[in-house]
Amino acid sequence: MLDIKLIRDNPDTVFKAMEKRGEDLDQVREIIDLDNTYRQLLKEAETLRARRNDVSKQISHMKDKPADLIAEMRQVGDRITGIEAEANQVAGRLEDKSLRLPNMPAEDVPVGKDAADNREVRSWGKPKGFTFDPLPHWELGEKLGIIDFQRGVKLSGTRFYVLSGLGSQLQRALINFMLDTHSKQHGYTEIYPPFMVKRECLVGSSNLPKFADNLYHDAEEDYWFIPTAEVPLTNLHRDEIIPPATLPIYYVSHTSCFRREKMAAGKDTRGIKRGHQFEKVEMYKFVEPETSDGELTRLVADAEDICQKLGLPYHVIQLCTGDLGFAAVKTFDIEMWAPGCKEWLEVSSCSNCGDFQARRANVRYRPDPEAKPRLVHTLNGSGLALPRVMIAIMENYQQADGSIVVPEALIPYMNTTIIR
RNA sequence: GGAGGGGUGACCGAGUGGACGAUGGUGACGGUCUUGAAAACCGUUGUCUCCUCACGGGGACCGUGGGUUCGAAUCCCACCCCCUCCGCCA
């Protein structure tokens, strides 16, 4: 959520930012109108309230309660109720509109229309040459008996799969390797959060109200399944004032992620690239506003470190204004080359969200013991998404006979050096 | 799930209709005193929001949401959470 004061006082800044994103500017105009109406009503209600408070105080001092004053105040009370009902209605609409307006891109984000305008900022490693035709992971997985697509469908339907034997072990090894690396080498505190959360958590992270159609929801108990660990991690400090000298806070968390993928219907249905349930290791930072840009650089570096330790070639691309996620100020994606399915796989997306989520989730910090609370900045980045890294490993480390060499970094986590 | 108890400011803890944003204490900060420190004493110490260039002023907040009333931390209703006991369970 943007600061309503910013929208009010510098509407042009907001218009320009939304234009760069390709957003409909009418939303901003509506917000400004609703804000004006709301404050007008609030002012009326508060003036009446001040009068009532004053008179009530006077009445409390009087021996004989004056019936006419009380009657008058009863009317004032009714008017207050009426105006407030109206004000609440306007406030509700204002909130809904505000929650649906995306964040403003940072000044240095390249302006562009869509993914085609994203920029490669660097690349690492050389794609391995093959003396044979590398197979896609779904063929490798089935041949090796480590991915069972048919039974996944039997159990749960399309976009579900079963990992078995060394397939399952490879995933577990990767999870442990990533958690260990981030917690022991990069300074993150490991968190195990709930996978089902309350509605307000999704509002805090900005998945709701706008992206409800990508979420699983238990109507009976009103639990929402997390689409990423970013959701519970954002809310870990919801409605808190973080004490002085505490920031930055770094968290890392492995969770299952649940996504309906309504928007991507029919896309990427083959293999394990896009399922309704997948594992992810997520890094998350709460930082002081002045430091968030530098923290993003280091967040990307922490994600890259995993790629490098696994010996998997990748490139880093910066998203342009038109491709930026809803909450992000600036984002870098990491993509790995998959020689089997011959495409770049997005294994990580690292974003600085500025104070956008912090305002929604009401996460503040106190710079000094005497100072007023300020909103923190939040950052999130995959470190990394498991299925796609599995694809990259399988396809990059495959051999002519269909076996897969285990990357060196994972050998201590596996009971084998080769999957065959 | 059943029975009972309880949710008040950073913390402890008073407050059952009217000067209560909330007594008191602790902690923290500033000051007096002291060579220094402790003790003692004095003072300061919430969040949000609206109006104002500012000084300052208004409004809201005592788990959450409704209701009663001229007026609610205090009364009524619903819900949530915590504690104790019982039941059930990985």
Side-chain angles (χ1 to χ4, degrees):
Chain A
M1 194 161 53
L2 297 183
D3 187 355
I4 185 66
K5 281 182 203 147
L6 176 77
I7 302 176
R8 195 184 291 154
D9 299 338
N10 297 335
D12 289 345
T13 313
V14 178
F15 279 124
K16 270 208 286 204
M18 292 305 145
E19 201 157 22
K20 282 198 217 169
R21 269 188 175 268
E23 286 285 328
D24 180 3
L25 299 186
D26 279 346
Q27 331 171 55
V28 183
R29 294 188 190 103
E30 278 183 84
I31 288 172
I32 292 170
D33 286 348
L34 287 167
D35 177 54
N36 281 333
T37 309
Y38 172 68
R39 283 188 304 153
Q40 185 54 44
L41 290 167
L42 193 69
K43 212 160 138 186
E44 280 179 45
E46 286 187 349
T47 307
L48 289 172
R49 217 180 249 283
R51 162 136 172 85
R52 185 176 69 177
N53 286 349
D54 184 49
V55 172
S56 288
K57 204 172 260 186
Q58 287 175 33
I59 292 174
S60 72
H61 297 313
M62 299 178 184
K63 286 266 156 47
D64 306 311
K65 306 300 183 194
D68 53 335
L69 256 190
I70 287 176
E72 191 197 331
M73 284 307 107
R74 188 174 297 148
Q75 284 188 347
V76 169
D78 289 346
R79 280 178 64 199
I80 293 173
T81 308
I83 293 168
E84 278 191 335
E86 203 182 332
N88 284 341
Q89 213 194 358
V90 174
R93 271 192 289 157
L94 174 60
E95 196 196 10
D96 186 65
K97 296 283 177 202
S98 303
L99 288 173
R100 289 169 190 273
L101 190 71
N103 204 352
M104 302 196 297
E107 281 303 317
D108 58 347
V109 172
V111 177
K113 192 163 162 278
D114 53 36
D117 295 322
N118 293 342
R119 277 189 199 165
E120 178 176 303
V121 292
R122 65 181 159 273
S123 66
W124 182 93
K126 274 205 184 95
K128 212 167 93 185
F130 289 90
T131 57
F132 55 94
D133 213 19
L135 296 176
H137 69 282
W138 53 84
E139 284 184 33
L140 288 165
E142 277 190 321
K143 280 186 179 167
L144 290 165
I146 59 175
I147 309 177
D148 189 336
F149 293 101
Q150 288 187 1
R151 290 201 174 93
V153 171
K154 177 166 77 178
L155 296 185
S156 305
T158 181
R159 288 195 194 283
F160 286 93
Y161 51 85
V162 173
L163 297 180
S164 97
L166 287 171
S168 186
Q169 282 182 47
L170 175 63
Q171 173 166 278
R172 181 158 54 86
L174 278 165
I175 292 165
N176 285 334
F177 161 67
M178 290 177 192
L179 286 174
D180 282 351
T181 304
H182 292 312
S183 62
K184 289 174 185 163
Q185 292 178 32
H186 301 155
Y188 293 75
T189 302
E190 187 177 335
I191 298 289
Y192 172 79
F195 292 5
M196 299 187 291
V197 297
K198 298 179 188 181
R199 161 178 217 98
E200 54 248 58
C201 291
L202 277 309
V203 174
S205 59
S206 73
N207 298 80
L208 287 178
K210 204 172 175 184
F211 306 104
D213 60 3
N214 202 30
L215 298 169
Y216 288 105
H217 174 220
D218 166 42
E220 195 109 48
E221 306 283 349
D222 198 26
Y223 286 131
W224 296 73
F225 288 60
I226 58 170
T228 159
E230 178 192 342
V231 174
L233 292 176
T234 302
N235 286 275
L236 224 44
H237 296 292
R238 176 155 50 86
D239 295 324
E240 288 184 21
I241 298 173
I242 295 165
T246 312
L247 299 179
I249 297 172
Y250 295 177
Y251 291 126
V252 64
S253 187
H254 152 67
T255 67
S256 297
C257 303
F258 305 94
R259 299 186 183 179
R260 290 174 68 192
E261 302 292 357
K262 272 259 161 107
M263 311 295 280
K267 210 178 157 197
D268 305 320
T269 46
R270 200 119 196 240
I272 62 171
K273 182 181 168 191
R274 190 187 295 273
H276 287 312
Q277 170 189 319
F278 65 98
E279 304 306 295
K280 184 157 59 68
V281 171
E282 179 82 358
M283 302 174 285
Y284 200 92
K285 296 184 174 187
F286 294 90
V287 306
E288 296 197 41
E290 289 70 22
T291 66
S292 65
D293 203 47
E295 291 283 4
L296 178 61
T297 304
R298 288 169 54 200
L299 186 69
V300 177
D302 290 338
E304 284 182 68
D305 190 38
I306 299 292
C307 306
Q308 294 180 11
K309 286 186 158 87
L310 291 172
L312 292 165
Y314 65 87
H315 65 186
V316 179
I317 60 175
Q318 175 165 21
L319 301 196
C320 71
T321 51
D323 200 29
L324 217 51
F326 183 76
V329 160
K330 195 196 279 196
T331 298
F332 294 95
D333 279 2
I334 299 176
E335 297 184 334
M336 283 177 177
W337 178 248
C341 44
K342 298 189 173 34
E343 61 172 317
W344 289 97
L345 299 171
E346 183 186 324
V347 295
S348 180
S349 188
C350 300
S351 300
N352 180 3
C353 293
D355 62 14
F356 191 81
Q357 290 178 321
R359 184 171 294 108
R360 289 171 163 248
N362 190 27
V363 184
R364 292 170 296 166
Y365 78 106
R366 209 180 284 282
D368 298 298
E370 312 300 309
K372 286 262 177 201
R374 295 177 75 196
L375 292 169
V376 302
H377 278 194
T378 61
L379 301 93
N380 66 82
S382 347
L384 311 164
L386 270 294
R388 292 174 185 185
V389 175
M390 300 245 295
I391 294 172
I393 288 175
M394 291 171 70
E395 296 190 4
N396 279 287
Y397 281 90
Q398 64 178 298
Q399 304 189 96
D401 64 357
S403 64
I404 295 162
V405 172
V406 175
E408 200 151 317
L410 293 181
I411 294 175
Y413 292 92
M414 302 271 290
N415 293 320
T416 179
T417 58
I418 194 153
I419 298 171
R420 70 166 101 233

